[in-house]
Amino acid sequence: MSKYIFLFVGLFFATNTAQSQNDNPKLVVGIVVDQMRYDYLTRFYDKYGEGGFKRLMNEGFNCKNNHFNYVPTYTGPGHASVYTGTTPKYHGIISNNWYDKTLKTDVYCASDAKVNSVGTSSDAGKMSPHRMLTTTFSDENRLFTQMQGKTIGIALKDRGAILPAGHTANAAYWFHGKDEGRFISSTYYMNVLPKWVDNFNTSNKAASYFKVWDTYYDISTYTESGTDNNSFEGGFKGKEDATFPYDLNSLKAKNRNFDILKSTPFGNSLTTDFALAAINGEHLGQDQFTDVITISYSSTDYVGHNFGVNSKEIQDTYIRLDKDLERLLQFLDANIGKGEYTVFLTSDHGAVDVPSYLQSVKVPAGYLDYNKRKEQFQKFLKETYGTTEIVEKVSNNQIFINKEKLKALGLNLQKLEQDFVNEQITYKNVAKAYTATSMTSTNFTTGIEALLQNGFNQKRSGDVIVVDDIAYIAYSRTGSTHGSGLNYDTHVPLLFFGKGIKKGHTYKKTVIPDIAPTISALLGISFPNGSTGQPLEFVVD
């Protein structure tokens, strides 16, 4: 009798396990909208249709108080943090570019001299995720499914495609503009592009967007953004004013040809086109193993940098992105099945209002003169230590001390760090300064100090960290940028939608590293190996 009981119990658990795995979404779609502030959801809400942002918000779960919990808030660290469930302290992507203390040179977060380009003869494809130190949830899904669940990464930017897809991805594709206008990859993933990618590249799809960019709706209805003609926007070479409309076909020659598309909403449309082709070409979501596609919409960042967060151009870009999201969701409904896929949407960072605009409305803001700061610091070094060589590099608001020179001069590292802090804090527009020693010896739990500590990687970061004044940036007087630990850079959307997701919202604070463990918990897989976030149990159904 006991034999039959054990057989029954075994069959019961086997059946439940099979049902549990079959209950997983067929496809996880991770969407990162580059440079999307949270208030773009609310400010432009009335201009959105029902099938894009509103569908995600109203039928899914909206985390309204979602923040980055580290500094710096840049594209590379942002994408890595979303998918690894941790911060630069552990995943190691401390910036887009940083000074490598071992190699004694600047490095790019996705560059890899050991691989070759695929799809172009240029060096634009010499990229891989090898500098990222931890796994992503997409890696863990690959491991869990014995490499049978696929992962595909897509973006205009290489880092926006590569870092989310992780180390084990089947492929990552990014857009090489200039005179080529092609999606490319690297030998890290493959030796030749798949047929479906070749077909897309030869379809003339990218060139079809060399058209007039005018507002989607009558510009007079764009009351949620500033005036079209102002002094706070950059624009394109070959056009005197940064005002609608923009004839991209006539402007392309003076704006790096296909690269002009990146700074328009049509770059997002092209990304959507390629994502739909990838889902079809790779047969994603068509078997019992959960697949993952990571989509990063990069054009929102290019437009924001060029025109600023209060521009008519940024409003039109989000209105048009809303249409692309609706198109994506409708495609998923038809090809994966309603209720058979899961989506999350977030951003890699926000952006500051153009400081010159803030000044015009009497809000404290301004521009940093790093050259003057450098002159002051070099004078201090020369007068105090007899040489400027005691500093090896200044990069990303961090000072790297020359350890060999330190030893030769018989100086104490901790004292030198503190002396540099004491000097830097006297400079104009320096709000705070901290030593590496304090980052490694003190447990900060609140404030900018905690964010700096979460962004501090002991082997890669500098010896002194400098924090600038609020709304002061080293940038042109037109357009927006980002990088700080302030709310305009940290507060970004977090929407969950689809299979396994509850309907609702919360004002409870959530942080970017919570995303990966939430998706991992939903899939029943291991968390990324360096994950420090927590599953958002109120999101999962």
Side-chain angles (χ1 to χ4, degrees):
M1 178 67 72
S2 60
K3 177 174 66 174
Y4 295 106
I5 293 174
F6 281 121
L7 178 61
F8 172 79
V9 172
L11 287 170
F12 174 80
F13 280 112
T15 302
N16 274 357
T17 301
Q19 287 176 343
S20 177
Q21 291 176 356
N22 289 336
D23 282 343
N24 279 353
K26 293 180 177 180
L27 180 66
V28 172
V29 183
I31 300 174
V32 175
V33 182
D34 205 320
Q35 202 189 114
M36 185 176 184
R37 292 161 51 116
Y38 175 80
D39 67 347
Y40 290 159
L41 283 180
T42 53
R43 182 149 60 101
F44 305 143
Y45 186 86
D46 289 341
K47 294 295 189 292
Y48 293 144
E50 296 301 319
F53 285 117
K54 282 185 178 179
R55 182 179 176 190
L56 296 177
M57 295 166 72
N58 297 331
E59 296 180 24
F61 199 96
N62 185 358
C63 298
K64 298 184 177 184
N65 189 22
N66 182 62
H67 289 262
F68 280 87
N69 62 338
Y70 65 84
V71 178
T73 42
Y74 293 136
T75 300
H79 283 79
S81 298
V82 168
Y83 285 86
T84 64
T86 191
T87 69
K89 180 178 182 179
Y90 297 104
H91 63 59
I93 305 299
I94 62 171
S95 188
N96 292 334
N97 302 272
W98 65 86
Y99 179 68
D100 189 301
K101 294 185 281 189
T102 302
L103 299 176
K104 307 295 183 185
T105 189
D106 292 328
V107 297
Y108 174 59
C109 62
S111 64
D112 190 347
K114 295 180 180 179
V115 302
N116 293 314
S117 300
V118 175
T120 178
S121 59
S122 77
D123 288 342
K126 294 176 72 66
M127 304 286 169
S128 85
H130 77 108
R131 298 190 196 280
M132 187 166 64
L133 304 176
T134 61
T135 62
T136 61
F137 79 76
S138 44
D139 283 324
E140 296 298 337
N141 184 64
R142 292 273 287 155
L143 294 170
F144 182 85
T145 61
Q146 302 303 308
M147 302 296 172
Q148 295 180 89
K150 285 187 174 182
T151 298
I152 305 293
I154 292 168
L156 296 184
K157 294 181 180 180
D158 47 43
R159 58 188 180 271
I162 291 167
L163 298 174
H167 301 277
T168 62
N170 299 83
Y173 301 102
W174 52 98
F175 186 69
H176 179 50
K178 297 185 180 179
D179 294 327
E180 295 189 39
R182 297 169 53 83
F183 278 92
I184 64 172
S185 192
S186 86
T187 53
Y188 181 87
Y189 306 100
M190 66 194 73
N191 292 318
V192 295
L193 293 176
K195 180 66 174 173
W196 70 264
V197 179
D198 279 334
N199 289 342
F200 187 92
N201 285 335
T202 58
S203 69
N204 210 39
K205 177 60 73 171
S208 72
Y209 288 111
F210 286 137
K211 56 186 179 180
V212 174
W213 175 21
D214 205 348
T215 53
Y216 189 86
Y217 300 118
D218 189 314
I219 195 169
S220 66
T221 66
Y222 284 28
T223 55
E224 297 82 7
S225 50
T227 58
D228 191 31
N229 191 5
N230 60 70
S231 60
F232 312 122
E233 301 172 10
F236 296 115
K237 293 178 181 178
K239 191 175 190 302
E240 186 175 345
D241 298 318
T243 57
F244 282 105
Y246 299 94
D247 185 344
L248 303 183
N249 196 49
S250 66
L251 291 171
K252 66 183 181 183
K254 292 185 178 180
N255 294 273
R256 296 164 58 92
N257 207 0
F258 281 98
D259 278 347
I260 196 174
L261 297 179
K262 297 177 181 179
S263 296
T264 76
F266 303 133
N268 291 331
S269 298
L270 181 62
T271 302
T272 305
D273 296 335
F274 191 76
L276 304 190
I279 294 170
N280 270 340
E282 296 292 339
H283 308 291
L284 300 183
Q286 300 303 313
D287 58 27
Q288 70 270 35
F289 301 105
T290 299
D291 297 322
V292 176
I293 185 169
T294 73
I295 305 170
S296 179
Y297 286 108
S298 307
S299 288
T300 42
D301 184 69
Y302 289 111
V303 175
H305 277 295
N306 192 354
F307 297 97
V309 307
N310 197 46
S311 62
K312 290 281 191 283
E313 288 79 2
I314 203 71
Q315 178 167 4
D316 192 67
T317 296
Y318 276 90
I319 288 171
R320 290 177 179 271
L321 175 59
D322 183 60
K323 305 301 180 186
D324 281 314
L325 290 174
E326 181 174 8
R327 179 160 63 103
L328 173 63
L329 294 175
Q330 288 177 345
F331 180 88
L332 293 170
D333 289 343
N335 291 272
I336 309 300
K338 275 191 176 183
E340 294 297 334
Y341 61 90
T342 303
V343 177
F344 70 83
L345 182 148
T346 188
S347 182
D348 54 348
H349 53 75
V352 65
D353 263 296
V354 179
S356 57
Y357 166 69
L358 292 177
Q359 289 172 334
S360 75
V361 293
K362 300 180 181 180
V363 174
Y367 295 89
L368 302 166
D369 188 342
Y370 278 165
N371 288 329
K372 185 174 182 180
R373 190 183 293 182
K374 179 180 178 181
E375 290 175 8
Q376 279 185 269
F377 192 45
Q378 287 187 329
K379 182 181 179 183
F380 162 77
L381 295 174
K382 189 72 174 176
E383 291 178 351
T384 307
Y385 308 104
T387 179
T388 60
E389 293 179 4
I390 191 67
V391 171
E392 191 166 278
K393 183 78 171 182
V394 177
S395 172
N396 292 313
N397 272 28
Q398 298 177 23
I399 301 171
F400 293 79
I401 292 173
N402 185 328
K403 303 304 193 300
E404 293 179 0
K405 197 68 176 178
L406 173 84
K407 185 176 180 180
L409 294 174
L411 299 173
N412 177 271
L413 177 59
Q414 285 73 33
K415 184 179 185 306
L416 189 65
E417 287 177 352
Q418 190 58 52
D419 288 345
F420 284 5
V421 165
N422 295 341
E423 174 66 15
Q424 288 285 323
I425 200 64
T426 67
Y427 294 168
K428 185 178 181 181
N429 301 130
V430 172
K432 296 176 183 292
Y434 299 92
T435 67
T437 299
S438 66
M439 289 292 113
T440 57
S441 62
T442 306
N443 182 28
F444 298 108
T445 57
T446 61
I448 192 69
E449 296 82 4
L451 274 63
L452 290 169
Q453 192 168 55
N454 284 337
F456 182 85
N457 183 280
Q458 193 170 4
K459 294 193 73 169
R460 294 182 174 180
S461 299
D463 300 287
V464 171
I465 306 172
V466 177
V467 180
D468 296 317
D469 279 343
I470 295 174
Y472 276 76
I473 60 175
Y475 206 65
S476 67
R477 294 187 67 83
T478 59
S480 300
T481 194
H482 49 87
S484 78
L486 297 157
N487 284 321
Y488 50 72
D489 282 338
T490 68
H491 190 193
V492 298
L494 177 54
L495 306 174
F496 292 93
F497 169 87
K499 190 164 190 176
I501 302 300
K502 292 179 181 177
K503 178 180 176 181
H505 69 269
T506 184
Y507 289 102
K508 179 181 179 180
K509 185 172 183 178
T510 58
V511 292
I512 287 294
D514 294 336
I515 298 171
T518 300
I519 297 297
S520 297
L522 175 69
L523 299 180
I525 62 176
S526 293
F527 293 3
N529 58 19
S531 176
T532 54
Q534 297 297 318
L536 303 175
E537 74 281 353
F538 47 81
V539 166
V540 178
D541 191 358

